[in-house]
Amino acid sequence: MKKITVITFLLVICLAFSGCDSKNTNHDNEETTAEPLDLSNYSLNNSNNTYDIASLFTGNNQTLQLCSFADDDSIIYCTLNSNKTVLSLHTLSLTDGTVEDTASWDYSCPSSDSGFSNISLVDLNPIVLKDPSSNRWYIYKDGTASTYTTPSDDIRYYVYGNHSLYSINDSTHNIEVTNMDTGITKVAISNDRYSNYEFTGLIDVLPQNNYLVFEAINTLFLNTEILVADIDSGDIILSLNNYSSIYETKDKQYVQSYDGSKILSSMYSGNNFDNETSCELNYEFSPAYFGYYDNYIYAISRYTDDNKFYLRRWDMNTGKCVSYQEIDLTGQQDYIYNMATSQFNISRDGSRLILPLYAGEKLNNVILFDFNNMPGSSETITISNDKHSDLGITELRDYGNLTKKAAKLKEKYGFNILWGSNAPTDFDDYSVEPMDDNDIIYEAISEIEQVLSKYPDNFFDIYTTKGNYRAMNIYLCGTIHPTADTSINNASAFTNRKNNCLILVIDATSGSLIQTMYHELAHTIYEVITECEYQDSKTYFDEDYWCDTFNPPGFDYYNAYINSDGEGYDIAGDASNCGSYFYEDINSVYFVDSYAKTYITEDLARLMEYDMIDPYAGTYDYMKSDKIQAKLNYFYSCIRSVWDTSGWPSKTSWEE
């Protein structure tokens, strides 16, 4: 059986390989006659179908990873020698109990670890072991033990399939494949073809159909998806949420996802995720093991009201529980959560299941279940034709001329402009009402174009380079509603970073989009400066200098939008030294308004916002304050120190 467990990894790695350390292993052992193995001697709780066979393993006190079934009647597992310098692979026969020393490799123990952990079997033909604590793969092929070494020391971000290794190229963002025999690397999945996705992690290969399973961030909808792609064609054929797992056994594939207290499972009997059969496990339990083989679901769970574990095998065609066993591990209840599960825990014929249970790195139990003698129960699961997965990737709605107008701005400035059904409505601290009124959207896009034209050519290029934004998204919506106690009650826009994407959400009905855009873009400029400070290990915008030099003596920002009475500081804040309120001396003005006193970022965003809307027409005379001008000049000098200003005019629109 083939099992994949989903794990969110935001690191991606470029791949190259080198082979090393080949050893020949001789198996010309003298023939001996062994007695048949009587499993009843290892019965657990006097059962005739559940056995603890840990004592059968050579050096069981040092068995760090059990690799499970090699075939129906033999198990392969690993040990380290006492010095932890040699990794050995052994084969245990369940027919007669004999152990064969199959292969061995030189091993280097990580300095931070007393041994290795979670060595896993990823292929049987040839035998390939994956070590997550180093950048080595251990291979046993044609009687020879060898290793492969990858350039990264975090091997978890590589996946294996069909004697090839897959990785994500950090420069091109493509998924690449390297043949372990020839060393030839080529592109498997092109990021250019799926530019709205950021490939963030590789999960596994389904070798029977040559499918690659990987994690990606949808940079438009801002969600994480699990994608399945046909490696031969490069087509993405399945999109799942990030709480899903995929399995492959024989001629079937399985998709498992979670919905509250339910586990939703789909079985596909075709080769392209077709002929779907779905079922739901309708009771609450904590699955410690979950797997599939042929038409069956295997589940081990523990109810919250006792300390016993229960094994169930469900028939996905009938919904019946055809195998049921209670497991009493008194005093060892926690070990079942430390078991080393892999895609090879179930025998090739599906009649046996093996679970190694650990106490730290020491093997504590090895539980063998035999389904041939195991009765079922009266429990059933719901079988339905409901689809639990979506074929293909989400397509954006085409809004005709509006889509074309937005696309031109994307080409020129790099911003995706999204609205209606193409825009999410739930964000971290706000929810928004969707907006798809054509007239309102047309006016909003026109105003966005007017704003972006005020910035020098290529001004926004740095956002996706040194600014480290994977995508820049402007979402046009209706009314914005706060969903957190610290959120602003009457926000007309907000800016954030999520999944490495710039999020700029604007209420297209607010009536002040141009001014709002200038404000929010000032926030993004500050974020880019901050990111460049991190990358360059250099200070460009000195907050201490700003506060000590440009603010009234003793002033501190509120560092909050809402006061202790639940009132916004834009209304309830101190109005002294603010230009939007009464002042006698223009040079006593340090702030635009009390909202600018909330955070240093809101102060500079307010300043640039008002400076960009032609303040010298007379409406905002206080912008001429020498205190405000000093703040603006400092901020604008910071921009020039970070951006590549070649090709810029001698004075930008904000410097004029």
Side-chain angles (χ1 to χ4, degrees):
M1 127 176 177
K2 188 81 174 169
K3 178 192 174 194
I4 300 166
T5 301
V6 176
I7 304 174
T8 299
F9 292 108
L10 296 182
L11 181 61
V12 291
I13 310 170
C14 178
L15 185 62
F17 306 94
S18 61
C20 63
D21 300 340
S22 294
K23 290 186 177 182
N24 291 321
T25 304
N26 191 340
H27 300 296
D28 297 331
N29 299 326
E30 295 183 3
E31 292 187 6
T32 58
T33 302
E35 295 293 329
L37 179 64
D38 186 359
L39 286 174
S40 64
N41 294 326
Y42 306 92
S43 176
L44 184 65
N45 303 329
N46 297 316
S47 168
N48 65 346
N49 52 53
T50 305
Y51 312 97
D52 183 357
I53 59 172
S55 61
L56 292 174
F57 296 92
T58 301
N60 62 82
N61 287 337
Q62 293 183 16
T63 300
L64 304 179
Q65 175 65 54
L66 191 67
C67 296
S68 298
F69 282 97
D71 53 39
D72 294 336
D73 296 309
S74 62
I75 296 168
I76 55 178
Y77 65 100
C78 296
T79 61
L80 278 177
N81 65 345
S82 58
N83 294 327
K84 299 184 178 178
T85 57
V86 178
L87 170 66
S88 299
L89 182 71
H90 314 276
T91 303
L92 166 67
S93 170
L94 292 177
T95 302
D96 55 25
T98 58
V99 173
E100 175 188 356
D101 296 332
T102 306
S104 63
W105 298 266
D106 291 338
Y107 181 78
S108 178
C109 178
S111 59
S112 61
D113 198 354
S114 60
F116 65 69
S117 60
N118 295 325
I119 283 280
S120 60
L121 175 69
V122 296
D123 199 2
L124 278 170
N125 187 25
I127 291 176
V128 179
L129 304 175
K130 176 182 179 181
D131 181 1
S133 64
S134 74
N135 58 343
R136 305 181 82 189
W137 300 71
Y138 299 92
I139 303 165
Y140 180 67
K141 182 179 181 181
D142 299 329
T144 300
S146 63
T147 61
Y148 251 84
T149 303
T150 60
S152 169
D153 61 0
D154 199 336
I155 203 170
R156 291 173 297 175
Y157 301 112
Y158 296 95
V159 295
Y160 171 93
N162 296 323
H163 211 53
S164 296
L165 288 177
Y166 293 78
S167 69
I168 300 176
N169 187 308
D170 201 26
S171 299
T172 65
H173 304 289
N174 295 326
I175 297 175
E176 297 179 340
V177 55
T178 298
N179 185 286
M180 296 177 76
D181 290 324
T182 66
I184 296 175
T185 299
K186 63 180 182 180
V187 175
I189 309 295
S190 171
N191 186 244
D192 289 341
R193 184 175 177 185
Y194 300 104
S195 59
N196 291 335
Y197 282 98
E198 178 181 8
F199 303 153
T200 54
L202 302 178
I203 299 172
D204 213 341
V205 174
L206 307 184
Q208 295 179 79
N209 290 296
N210 209 27
Y211 291 155
L212 178 68
V213 185
F214 56 98
E215 181 186 76
I217 293 172
N218 187 317
T219 59
L220 300 182
F221 293 98
L222 306 176
N223 60 305
T224 300
E225 299 179 25
I226 304 304
L227 302 177
V228 182
D230 186 318
I231 297 172
D232 296 327
S233 66
D235 295 338
I236 294 177
I237 59 175
L238 192 69
S239 174
L240 308 166
N241 67 49
N242 64 331
Y243 299 102
S244 301
S245 298
I246 301 177
Y247 303 74
E248 179 184 68
T249 67
K250 291 185 176 180
D251 58 347
K252 295 181 176 64
Q253 300 93 34
Y254 309 83
V255 172
Q256 171 192 314
S257 59
Y258 294 90
D259 180 17
S261 62
K262 297 179 181 178
I263 293 181
L264 310 178
S265 299
S266 295
M267 177 175 66
Y268 304 88
S269 57
N271 290 327
N272 292 295
F273 293 93
D274 51 13
N275 303 329
E276 180 177 0
T277 299
S278 300
C279 67
E280 298 179 358
L281 277 69
N282 292 315
Y283 55 88
E284 294 186 11
F285 70 101
S286 301
Y289 176 82
F290 212 92
Y292 298 81
Y293 193 81
D294 205 4
N295 297 317
Y296 299 101
I297 298 175
Y298 299 76
I300 294 180
S301 59
R302 177 169 68 91
Y303 290 114
T304 57
D305 58 353
D306 63 30
N307 288 318
K308 294 181 180 179
F309 296 86
Y310 302 86
L311 169 69
R312 293 176 175 84
R313 186 169 66 138
W314 308 92
D315 188 324
M316 290 190 71
N317 290 322
T318 66
K320 294 182 178 179
C321 180
V322 295
S323 304
Y324 176 87
Q325 179 65 47
E326 179 181 307
I327 311 161
D328 186 0
L329 296 176
T330 303
Q332 307 179 61
Q333 290 86 349
D334 292 335
Y335 292 153
I336 201 165
Y337 291 108
N338 297 320
M339 60 191 178
T341 59
S342 79
Q343 62 265 46
F344 301 101
N345 280 92
I346 298 175
S347 63
R348 304 288 75 77
D349 63 0
S351 66
R352 288 170 166 174
L353 171 66
I354 190 167
L355 291 175
L357 310 182
Y358 289 88
E361 67 177 38
K362 179 184 175 183
L363 187 66
N364 195 74
N365 302 88
V366 180
I367 310 300
L368 175 68
F369 300 99
D370 189 338
F371 298 112
N372 292 314
N373 301 315
M374 189 177 295
S377 73
S378 60
E379 296 173 297
T380 60
I381 56 176
T382 302
I383 305 296
S384 70
N385 293 320
D386 296 337
K387 291 186 178 297
H388 296 155
S389 55
D390 299 319
L391 295 175
I393 60 177
T394 305
E395 298 290 342
L396 293 174
R397 176 182 170 184
D398 188 347
Y399 285 92
N401 289 332
L402 289 175
T403 298
K404 293 177 182 178
K405 185 176 179 67
K408 290 180 179 179
L409 296 188
K410 159 73 172 177
E411 183 177 359
K412 186 172 183 178
Y413 299 107
F415 284 92
N416 299 299
I417 303 176
L418 304 160
W419 65 91
S421 61
N422 293 340
T425 56
D426 293 312
F427 299 89
D428 290 342
D429 296 323
Y430 296 93
S431 65
V432 303
E433 296 180 8
M435 170 54 62
D436 57 7
D437 183 288
N438 288 345
D439 292 335
I440 293 176
I441 296 300
Y442 179 87
E443 182 65 24
I445 295 175
S446 298
E447 291 181 334
I448 290 172
E449 182 176 20
Q450 179 181 337
V451 169
L452 297 179
S453 68
K454 297 294 185 181
Y455 296 82
D457 291 343
N458 304 320
F459 179 84
F460 299 104
D461 290 356
I462 193 175
Y463 282 52
T464 53
T465 54
K466 293 188 69 175
N468 203 29
Y469 285 116
R470 182 67 177 88
M472 304 184 296
N473 303 329
I474 298 174
Y475 298 107
L476 299 175
C477 62
T479 304
I480 298 174
H481 302 284
T483 57
D485 293 339
T486 56
S487 301
I488 303 172
N489 291 322
N490 56 347
S492 57
F494 61 89
T495 302
N496 204 343
R497 178 194 288 262
K498 182 176 182 180
N499 293 335
N500 256 12
C501 299
L502 168 63
I503 304 169
L504 205 167
V505 182
I506 302 177
D507 181 351
T509 67
S510 65
S512 58
L513 188 145
I514 290 178
Q515 184 171 343
T516 298
M517 271 288 292
Y518 285 133
H519 180 98
E520 299 303 326
L521 287 176
H523 279 304
T524 68
I525 291 171
Y526 178 82
E527 288 297 323
V528 171
I529 292 174
T530 301
E531 180 66 25
C532 290
E533 287 181 332
Y534 172 76
Q535 293 188 25
D536 299 342
S537 299
K538 186 176 181 181
T539 299
Y540 293 111
F541 184 93
D542 189 328
E543 292 190 3
D544 291 336
Y545 176 76
W546 172 283
C547 293
D548 294 341
T549 307
F550 304 128
N551 286 336
F555 171 81
D556 291 316
Y557 291 98
Y558 297 125
N559 291 319
Y561 292 113
I562 310 295
N563 66 18
S564 59
D565 296 325
E567 300 174 303
Y569 281 116
D570 55 334
I571 298 174
D574 176 19
S576 61
N577 303 115
C578 294
S580 57
Y581 303 98
F582 175 79
Y583 58 88
E584 294 182 353
D585 179 5
I586 192 173
N587 290 324
S588 68
V589 176
Y590 289 80
F591 308 96
V592 169
D593 55 18
S594 59
Y595 182 75
K597 294 183 175 183
T598 56
Y599 294 90
I600 192 171
T601 53
E602 295 297 354
D603 188 6
L604 64 86
R606 262 299 196 241
L607 290 170
M608 192 169 188
E609 165 195 346
Y610 278 74
D611 198 35
M612 292 290 283
I613 55 175
D614 193 17
Y616 308 116
T619 307
Y620 309 110
D621 278 346
Y622 57 82
M623 292 296 291
K624 299 176 184 178
S625 163
D626 56 5
K627 308 298 190 303
I628 284 183
Q629 287 297 305
K631 284 185 175 182
L632 288 170
N633 289 335
Y634 177 74
F635 184 48
Y636 295 160
S637 69
C638 293
I639 294 174
R640 283 194 172 269
S641 65
V642 173
W643 266 250
D644 177 3
T645 60
S646 57
W648 283 24
S650 58
K651 286 191 174 183
T652 62
S653 58
W654 55 83
E655 293 170 327
E656 291 178 346

